Amino acid sequence: MTETQVVTYGEALGQAYREEMLRDENVYLIGEDVGRWGSLYRSSKGLLAQFGPKRVKDAPLSEAAIAGCAVGSAAMGMRPIAEIMYIDFITIAMDQIVNHAAKWYQLSNGKVKMPIVFRTQGGAGRRNSSQHSQSLENWFVNIPGLVVVMPSSPYEIKGLLKSAVRDNNPVMFIEHKSLYFAKEEIPIEEYLIPLGVANVKREGSDVTVIATSWMVSFAINAAEQLQKEGISCEVIDPRTLWPLDKETILRSVEKTKHCVVVTEAPAEGGWSAEAAAVVFEGCFQLLKKPVTRVTGMRTGIPYGSVLEMQVIPNEEKIVKAIRNLLNK
Amino acid sequence: MNTVTQLTLYNKMVLLRHFDDMCRKLKMEDLIWSGYHPYTGQEAVAAGCCSQLKQDDCLLGNHRSHCHAVAKGTSVRAMLAEMMGRQSGVSGGLGGAMQFIHAENNLFCGSIVGSNIPLAAGMGMAFKDQQSHRVVMCMFGDGGSNTGSFHEGLNLAALWKLPVIYILENNQFAEAMPVAESVACSPLSKRARSYDLEEITVDGNDVVAVYNAVARAISKARAGEGTSLIEVLTYRIRGHYMGDPEETYRTKEEVDKWKEKDPIKLCRSQLLANGVAANELDEMESMIVKELHEDKSWVLQQPFATFEQAVRHVWIPLEQ
């Protein structure tokens, strides 16, 4: 029996940092207040004292410089973890990520690798309104050259971050601000979770619910509620948005013949449409009904907990969508 | 400067002038496909700055960097091949004239103006942390100095005393925008002051002046004494691209006035005054031209980049 510990999402992240920084001296952390504060949600607390300012770099409030530093130093053999405090601020760093990090491996004929983790966090739930609550992951899924990861729990974040640090691609590691204090029992001994592999969070036979990030917990709660009515939901967390584990998704939908995709990001032009297309392309004939989506609304995230929770998916909306899909 | 060094710089400038002329013709023949940005008149900058770097030093260029690349030691053949979409180009023919990476020569050029400034800081940071004596040089123009990246990158490099030499190649125009109408201060090197760096402006058409200023900055960076910003004042003799509507932003008289300050002419007259024979210079020039033609013929025989290349190296498949 594996020994376990109960940790928060933020603590699990801190453990992953520490383990990877001890393992490889080329791994370093750069971002706004990652050292003195130990990052906004304290995930890098204690690292400055342990590793010193060369390995834990408090950067000026300059997202383009932080991302540019990550790209330049990665080209010279380092393995940066660059933190962009809110995904909303990544707009300032987009040039470095899209035009450089994502292009240099190809432009150098495969000679210059970009082992960078761009860590950031998005989403609603902390009453921060429209410039501190967005779900912008879709932008990165559309850029060839980037890997996009969204960890949904403490167990996931630790294993996925460790794999992201070891990967030689630029990885967009998009956390969720409403998950930092979520707790989970995780193994004490070291473990890794491979990138590009989905997790079947809950097995079921009537409908496949594909949910990302914070939405995974809403989907599981909805599934548990429906279980009482005799509806059996399979919940899949893709964990990596690109490359997408199509096999796990299709295997599930081939069994359930129904599919709902749940994302906090708006539907239009988004990954939720990509996931739906994968299902249509892969098992159209087996589907009993078209794929349904439950997504964030096409609006700015409003101020305050009452309104913000009304414009993103919740258990009730997911339950309703599943009932409609199954005519129940 | 001793005559031997100056002669080397002169020959480098002559090579760059003929190389650039050749590229313009290749662009007119549609053998270079992308936007092509002529370098005529700015040769003292590439020769005086980039040729001082060692192979393991980094050079970050921009959309007008084919001459920077050659001055840093990338071969004419590899550069021409890149611009003509051939497999033997530095980026395998996938980058073209505006963006390319020559990994073996630590050369990184991109067409997003200003974004190489933070990238250079990152490389400098790596060298500092690795306790190496490698340095980074970053070439950008008056236009690049108006980007947010300039200020973010320069602040960080200066703050952390990184071994980076920033070369502000002021050629008087950002496309059609004259520098006096686009930058709130003059000279542009004043911007260095806000980052507590020395304010340095040199005559960018005087290769000796450029060389000496840059040599000092490189020694400083290698010795761990931090970042420099050098403004080199020069002039873009040709359009932003070939055939741009020049009459919308400058007069022929203005261009003619700058042609008199041609960096190659100036250097030649200094060499002649120091006793170098004119026929010696001319012989070197003919050899350079002959070799350039051989390079061109060689490149014309090279295969184009392939579809297989175009979809390779997009990313590294995950290790499961």
Side-chain angles (χ1 to χ4, degrees):
Chain A
M1 180 82 187
T2 321
E3 279 194 76
T4 60
Q5 54 179 339
V6 176
V7 293
T8 66
Y9 191 73
E11 288 162 352
L13 180 59
Q15 290 184 3
Y17 273 153
R18 191 168 276 111
E19 289 176 17
E20 291 308 298
M21 288 176 79
L22 284 170
R23 188 186 57 80
D24 184 346
E25 62 172 21
N26 290 315
V27 176
Y28 78 95
L29 186 57
I30 184 169
E32 290 155 19
D33 299 318
V34 294
R36 244 179 235 103
W37 268 8
S39 179
L40 190 61
Y41 291 103
R42 306 294 177 266
S43 53
S44 51
K45 195 177 142 197
L47 294 183
L48 178 61
Q50 185 175 351
F51 295 98
K54 234 166 101 170
R55 304 285 302 282
V56 182
K57 295 174 189 288
D58 272 327
L61 203 157
S62 305
E63 284 81 8
I66 291 167
C69 250
V71 177
S73 63
M76 294 299 120
M78 297 178 79
R79 304 186 76 87
I81 304 175
E83 177 177 310
I84 303 293
M85 192 180 279
Y86 283 80
I87 200 168
D88 315 76
F89 311 165
I90 218 162
T91 47
I92 311 298
M94 283 303 265
D95 170 40
Q96 295 296 340
I97 297 171
V98 174
N99 290 318
H100 302 283
K103 302 288 186 289
W104 281 20
Y105 182 60
Q106 191 171 37
L107 265 186
S108 68
N109 283 319
K111 290 185 188 113
V112 178
K113 291 176 183 161
M114 289 279 114
I116 308 167
V117 181
F118 290 106
R119 260 198 63 239
T120 187
Q121 53 90 11
R126 291 187 66 82
R127 305 176 295 181
N128 285 323
S129 186
S130 60
Q131 294 169 352
H132 275 65
S133 306
Q134 295 172 89
S135 296
L136 303 177
E137 61 271 19
N138 293 321
W139 294 352
F140 303 101
V141 175
N142 208 239
I143 302 297
L146 299 178
V147 169
V148 185
V149 179
M150 291 189 93
S152 65
S153 77
Y155 174 77
E156 305 285 1
I157 199 170
K158 183 172 178 186
L160 288 168
L161 187 86
K162 285 168 69 73
S163 294
V165 169
R166 297 180 193 196
D167 193 72
N168 283 324
N169 294 290
V171 178
M172 302 305 303
F173 199 85
I174 306 172
E175 298 154 18
H176 200 291
K177 63 173 66 62
S178 292
L179 287 172
Y180 284 106
F181 304 104
K183 285 186 181 164
E184 192 174 28
E185 203 171 322
I186 70 168
I188 287 176
E189 68 175 35
E190 185 180 29
Y191 67 94
L192 280 93
I193 298 173
L195 305 180
V197 178
N199 188 12
V200 181
K201 297 285 282 193
R202 188 184 191 282
E203 289 190 11
S205 53
D206 295 330
V207 57
T208 299
V209 183
I210 304 168
T212 59
S213 189
W214 195 26
M215 294 299 114
V216 173
S217 58
F218 289 96
I220 288 172
N221 291 344
E224 274 160 16
Q225 192 183 323
L226 287 165
Q227 188 69 49
K228 294 174 196 149
E229 301 169 20
I231 297 174
S232 166
C233 305
E234 180 143 307
V235 178
I236 295 181
D237 172 8
R239 303 198 280 212
T240 307
L241 269 53
W242 199 91
L244 182 58
D245 179 0
K246 297 180 183 180
E247 213 181 296
T248 299
I249 290 172
L250 292 177
R251 204 185 310 129
S252 173
V253 180
E254 279 162 15
K255 175 176 70 179
T256 63
K257 299 175 177 60
H258 295 89
C259 181
V260 178
V261 184
V262 188
T263 66
E264 191 173 328
E268 299 84 356
W271 178 89
S272 61
E274 171 63 18
V278 162
V279 173
F280 281 127
E281 286 163 1
C283 52
F284 182 71
Q285 289 89 345
L286 293 173
L287 281 173
K288 295 238 171 97
K289 293 280 277 296
V291 178
T292 294
R293 288 186 285 167
V294 184
T295 69
M297 291 172 70
R298 195 175 174 82
T299 180
I301 300 295
Y303 181 50
S305 54
V306 173
L307 290 180
E308 73 177 335
M309 296 310 285
Q310 287 177 9
V311 301
I312 63 170
N314 56 26
E315 279 154 44
E316 197 188 325
K317 290 179 189 175
I318 299 169
V319 163
K320 197 175 158 204
I322 294 171
R323 282 206 189 106
N324 280 345
L325 189 70
L326 299 174
N327 292 324
K328 284 184 178 168
Chain B
M1 177 179 285
N2 66 51
T3 309
V4 177
T5 309
Q6 193 173 357
L7 193 57
T8 309
L9 292 171
Y10 174 80
N11 286 331
K12 187 75 79 180
M13 289 196 291
V14 169
L15 165 69
L16 298 180
R17 175 69 53 88
H18 285 289
F19 172 55
D20 189 63
D21 285 346
M22 176 177 277
C23 292
R24 276 190 298 113
K25 288 192 193 100
L26 289 166
K27 172 66 189 166
M28 284 190 279
E29 292 166 40
D30 201 32
L31 287 164
I32 290 174
W33 305 319
S34 65
Y36 176 74
H37 303 98
Y39 198 66
T40 317
Q42 300 177 221
E43 294 85 353
V45 182
C49 298
C50 310
S51 64
Q52 296 196 57
L53 296 172
K54 298 178 184 172
Q55 189 179 331
D56 69 352
D57 293 328
C58 285
L59 177 65
L60 289 114
N62 49 57
H63 58 290
R64 195 188 304 276
S65 275
H66 51 293
C67 288
H68 299 149
V70 169
K72 211 247 173 198
T74 291
S75 73
V76 165
R77 289 185 178 195
M79 202 53 240
L80 258 187
E82 184 57 41
M83 292 192 282
M84 292 161 72
R86 315 290 168 129
Q87 285 173 33
S88 36
V90 289
S91 281
L94 294 181
M98 292 193 288
Q99 52 268 302
F100 45 85
I101 290 175
H102 186 193
E104 293 81 354
N105 195 23
N106 290 292
L107 171 75
F108 303 83
C109 297
S111 53
I112 313 296
V113 169
S115 68
N116 56 357
I117 298 166
L119 289 164
M123 291 173 176
M125 191 189 75
F127 293 163
K128 190 175 181 186
D129 286 359
Q130 292 159 353
Q131 293 174 305
S132 92
H133 294 285
R134 297 165 74 182
V135 301
V136 184
M137 183 177 284
C138 178
M139 315 295 294
F140 57 95
D142 39 294
S145 80
N146 275 341
T147 63
S149 287
F150 169 84
H151 295 282
E152 288 200 14
L154 212 69
N155 179 57
L156 195 84
L159 180 72
W160 289 350
K161 301 194 174 5
L162 304 176
V164 185
I165 301 101
Y166 286 109
I167 306 291
L168 200 175
E169 190 167 9
N170 178 358
N171 67 5
Q172 313 299 329
F173 298 98
E175 296 190 352
M177 173 61 86
V179 70
E181 287 179 41
S182 67
V183 186
C185 69
S186 176
L188 303 199
S189 58
K190 251 190 203 171
R191 289 182 156 171
R193 258 200 242 162
S194 36
Y195 302 108
D196 226 2
L197 300 174
E198 203 184 327
E199 190 182 319
I200 307 170
T201 297
V202 296
D203 179 353
N205 283 18
D206 178 353
V207 75
V208 177
V210 175
Y211 184 94
N212 288 337
V214 171
R216 273 193 300 276
I218 292 177
S219 311
K220 213 176 112 186
R222 281 205 209 286
E225 289 161 26
T227 309
S228 299
L229 173 72
I230 300 174
E231 179 193 15
V232 282
L233 270 178
T234 184
Y235 192 83
R236 198 188 69 210
I237 293 293
R238 299 185 189 278
H240 170 65
Y241 57 87
M242 287 159 56
D244 77 353
E246 284 185 64
E247 71 286 356
T248 59
Y249 61 88
R250 63 183 179 186
T251 61
K252 195 179 167 297
E253 289 70 34
E254 181 185 311
V255 179
D256 288 342
K257 215 178 90 207
W258 275 92
K259 278 184 182 165
E260 286 165 25
K261 299 183 201 166
D262 185 280
I264 297 176
K265 267 192 216 162
L266 175 70
C267 187
R268 185 181 172 97
S269 63
Q270 288 166 348
L271 285 170
L272 294 177
N274 287 340
V276 179
N279 66 339
E280 192 188 327
L281 297 179
D282 295 340
E283 270 169 37
M284 285 300 297
E285 185 158 356
S286 341
M287 270 174 61
I288 287 167
V289 171
K290 186 170 162 273
E291 221 170 281
L292 270 174
H293 282 285
E294 285 165 13
D295 291 336
K296 181 180 140 184
S297 310
W298 181 84
V299 173
L300 285 168
Q301 301 305 312
Q302 298 304 303
F304 288 106
T306 61
F307 171 76
E308 284 70 25
Q309 275 177 274
V311 294
R312 197 193 301 155
H313 295 141
V314 177
W315 70 306
I316 304 166
L318 301 172
E319 285 172 26
Q320 299 291 336

